[in-house]
Amino acid sequence: GAVVSQHPSWVICKSGTSVKIECRSLDFQATTMFWYRQFPKQSLMLMATSNEGSKATYEQGVEKDKFLINHASLTLSTLTVTSAHPEDSSFYICSARGGQGYTFGSGTRLTVV
Amino acid sequence: DAKTTQPTSMDCAEGRAANLPCNHSTISGNEYVYWYRQIHSQGPQYIIHGLKNNETNEMASLIITEDRKSSTLILPHATLRDTAVYYCIVRVLMNRDDKIIFGKGTRLHILP
């Protein structure tokens, strides 16, 4: 079946630094990928839609300059959290849309200290 | 906003069938019902989907009412590993602008 690999699975960074999260579709091409954020005990919140070769579409209230998304190939999308602060600590999940529907990555737990 | 309504939480004894309801009274004719689940600290996992007929796969069964305004996900023999948050979602199949919006889901506790 379709597999989406997300790395790293967890990361701790200092406040003010930037962190990059990768999302790869391993056995299918994904023209569209999605990034979600999830706080403890809450549901997944869609942050942005990433389309290969074009600018990402951000959901209302999500700062595009803070959460940089790059979808340079049909199998890779990256999310960079710039100038991270403790309030950015969260569980970030990517999803790729392919021929069989949607497949989710295993998530990245970001802790900003 | 999510177009579905689910109970916040449910308990089920291990080995019994877990029946998770979902209301989607405003579903459109071309919208499918999808179920995903999320085990703690993991990404969501696809379970099953259907349009109007009942569906069954190796994981679960999906029962959709005739008027399509509600559905029930059935896990026939629940195990402790089925403890998770279950999300019911309605969406148009592979529409270009399609994206999955999650509601609050049902937190299912399987009791030993």
Side-chain angles (χ1 to χ4, degrees), chain B residues 30-91:
Chain B
N30 61 347
E31 287 184 312
Y32 286 69
V33 179
Y34 273 74
W35 284 84
Y36 290 83
R37 73 179 181 183
Q38 185 182 24
I39 295 170
H40 182 63
S41 294
Q42 296 183 25
Q45 174 191 23
Y46 165 81
I47 301 173
I48 198 168
H49 75 279
L51 182 62
K52 54 183 179 181
N53 297 321
N54 297 337
E55 302 287 344
T56 295
N57 63 20
E58 65 278 4
M59 290 182 67
S61 294
L62 174 60
I63 308 298
I64 303 174
T65 58
E66 192 168 343
D67 62 7
R68 303 209 323 122
K69 292 185 177 182
S70 66
S71 61
T72 301
L73 177 74
I74 301 172
L75 307 179
H77 304 287
T79 70
L80 295 178
R81 290 179 296 179
D82 293 321
T83 293
V85 178
Y86 288 75
Y87 296 98
C88 170
I89 295 159
V90 295
R91 50 178 280 254

Side-chain angles (χ1 to χ4, degrees), chain B residues 6-26:
Chain B
Q6 299 176 251
T8 302
S9 66
M10 293 182 63
D11 292 338
C12 178
E14 189 177 17
R16 303 296 294 270
N19 296 277
L20 291 88
C22 178
N23 285 323
H24 31 78
S25 58
T26 61

Side-chain angles (χ1 to χ4, degrees), chain A residues 34 36 38 41-44 46 49 59 91 93 97-99 101-102 104-107 109, chain B residues 36 38 41-46 87 91 94-104 107:
Chain A
F34 304 87
Y36 295 83
Q38 185 176 34
K41 303 286 187 184
Q42 295 186 21
S43 185
L44 291 81
L46 179 64
T49 301
E59 296 298 307
F91 192 54
I93 303 166
R97 183 167 73 196
Y102 291 82
F104 290 82
S106 55
R109 185 159 305 281
Chain B
Y36 290 83
Q38 185 182 24
S41 294
Q42 296 183 25
Q45 174 191 23
Y46 165 81
Y87 296 98
R91 50 178 280 254
M94 298 306 288
N95 177 285
R96 174 179 162 77
D97 298 320
D98 178 35
K99 52 190 176 184
I100 295 181
I101 304 298
F102 288 88
K104 297 183 178 180
R107 188 170 296 274

Side-chain angles (χ1 to χ4, degrees), chain A residues 87-102:
Chain A
E87 57 265 32
D88 298 323
S89 297
S90 188
F91 192 54
Y92 292 86
I93 303 166
C94 71
S95 173
R97 183 167 73 196
Q100 298 301 317
Y102 291 82

Side-chain angles (χ1 to χ4, degrees), chain A residues 31-33 49-58 68-74 76-78, chain B residues 96:
Chain A
T31 55
T32 305
M33 291 186 175
T49 301
S50 166
N51 293 298
E52 186 267 337
S54 64
K55 291 183 179 180
T57 303
Y58 291 81
L68 301 181
I69 292 172
N70 184 282
H71 194 159
S73 79
L74 288 172
L76 174 65
S77 176
T78 60
Chain B
R96 174 179 162 77

